[in-house]
Amino acid sequence: MIIRHRAAAAALLAAVGLAAPAAMAHPHVWIEMRSDVVFNEQGQVSALNLMWTFDDAYAQMALDGLDTNGDGVYSQSELDPLTRENIASLKDYEFFTVLRFNGQKQPIGEVTEFGQIWSNDKLQLHFQVPLKTPVDPTKGEFVAKVYDPDFFIAIDYVKDDPVTVIGAMPKSCQLVVKPVPTDAEVEQTRAMLSTKGPDWKPENDEDFGALFAQPVTIQCKVA
């Protein structure tokens, strides 16, 4: 519905629309996010788990008509069509997730682990974005960014315990959640962009949205 209203506004996931034009440079949907960096038994980064909590206005729109038995509770079976539509739509946007290793964007695999719940009057979508090929963080820096490049959807980490580690992270490594850019840093970035020509692109084939996204990194000491 996030995706479909972007299409209704340009026409959210089962009634919204993920492909808003760049001119719509302010958010219409707000998401609070938590994530887990997942390590396999070999100490490689293998996936990123994401938990999104949607704003109340979007949730009300997305849930409209889904309580088919009228009991005031949204069961898994009632939420399932919305969940599958969201995941299918998000696939076209690579789940707003950019994973890099040594500066190079890493291809992601098929998202097969996902679900959605309605709890404490909040709609939450969770899913795992796997790396097609796991990476060894002792060989270089791993960086994850989750953001909508069109700014139609604001995706921001929660303040408390926004990111955790699951699995066998090497002892020489640490999780670093870099802070949200300050207003001064945002203005500095905007000023820099204003000096660039229309054909300028950020380094490493990043888009403009990446300049404002909050990075999560795995940094390891070199033996």
Side-chain angles (χ1 to χ4, degrees), residues 49-52 54 76 83 87 111 113-117 124-128:
N49 289 341
L50 296 174
M51 169 68 84
W52 290 355
F54 295 102
Q76 288 299 307
T83 305
I87 293 298
V111 172
E113 297 184 28
F114 56 85
Q116 194 156 209
I117 62 172
Q124 296 181 320
L125 175 68
H126 60 87
F127 54 97
Q128 181 178 92

Side-chain angles (χ1 to χ4, degrees), residues 113-189:
E113 297 184 28
F114 56 85
Q116 194 156 209
I117 62 172
W118 170 256
S119 179
N120 297 321
D121 294 329
K122 295 292 182 182
L123 182 64
Q124 296 181 320
L125 175 68
H126 60 87
F127 54 97
Q128 181 178 92
V129 180
L131 283 157
K132 186 167 287 187
T133 303
V135 298
D136 183 352
T138 65
K139 306 296 185 183
E141 186 178 57
F142 172 79
V143 181
K145 293 182 179 180
V146 182
Y147 62 95
D148 176 6
D150 292 327
F151 300 109
F152 185 88
I153 302 169
I155 307 173
D156 298 314
Y157 276 107
V158 298
K159 292 183 179 180
D160 298 327
D161 299 322
V163 188
T164 59
V165 166
I166 294 177
M169 183 172 70
K171 293 182 180 180
S172 64
C173 302
Q174 63 175 340
L175 169 70
V176 178
V177 182
K178 296 188 177 180
V180 176
T182 64
D183 290 343
E185 289 171 331
V186 169
E187 288 305 317
Q188 186 178 34
T189 299

Side-chain angles (χ1 to χ4, degrees), residues 45-157:
V45 179
S46 61
L48 189 72
N49 289 341
L50 296 174
M51 169 68 84
W52 290 355
T53 301
F54 295 102
D55 69 83
D56 293 344
Y58 166 74
Q60 290 175 9
M61 184 189 313
L63 294 169
D64 185 44
L66 294 186
D67 183 16
T68 55
N69 61 7
D71 66 354
V73 177
Y74 297 96
S75 66
Q76 288 299 307
S77 61
E78 290 172 326
L79 289 173
D80 186 64
L82 172 65
T83 305
R84 293 189 178 279
E85 182 174 0
N86 285 349
I87 293 298
S89 300
L90 286 166
K91 182 178 180 179
D92 292 337
Y93 299 87
E94 296 186 310
F95 301 91
F96 294 144
T97 300
V98 178
L99 308 176
R100 291 183 180 273
F101 182 63
N102 280 337
Q104 299 301 309
K105 184 177 178 181
Q106 301 299 297
I108 63 175
E110 194 73 21
V111 172
T112 59
E113 297 184 28
F114 56 85
Q116 194 156 209
I117 62 172
W118 170 256
S119 179
N120 297 321
D121 294 329
K122 295 292 182 182
L123 182 64
Q124 296 181 320
L125 175 68
H126 60 87
F127 54 97
Q128 181 178 92
V129 180
L131 283 157
K132 186 167 287 187
T133 303
V135 298
D136 183 352
T138 65
K139 306 296 185 183
E141 186 178 57
F142 172 79
V143 181
K145 293 182 179 180
V146 182
Y147 62 95
D148 176 6
D150 292 327
F151 300 109
F152 185 88
I153 302 169
I155 307 173
D156 298 314
Y157 276 107

Side-chain angles (χ1 to χ4, degrees), residues 7-44:
L12 217 207
L13 292 169
V16 189
L18 285 178
M24 298 174 63
H26 60 281
H28 291 63
V29 180
W30 286 262
I31 292 173
E32 289 189 334
M33 176 172 60
R34 296 183 186 274
S35 69
D36 308 309
V37 180
V38 182
F39 288 80
N40 61 21
E41 293 180 355
Q42 290 73 44
Q44 301 167 318

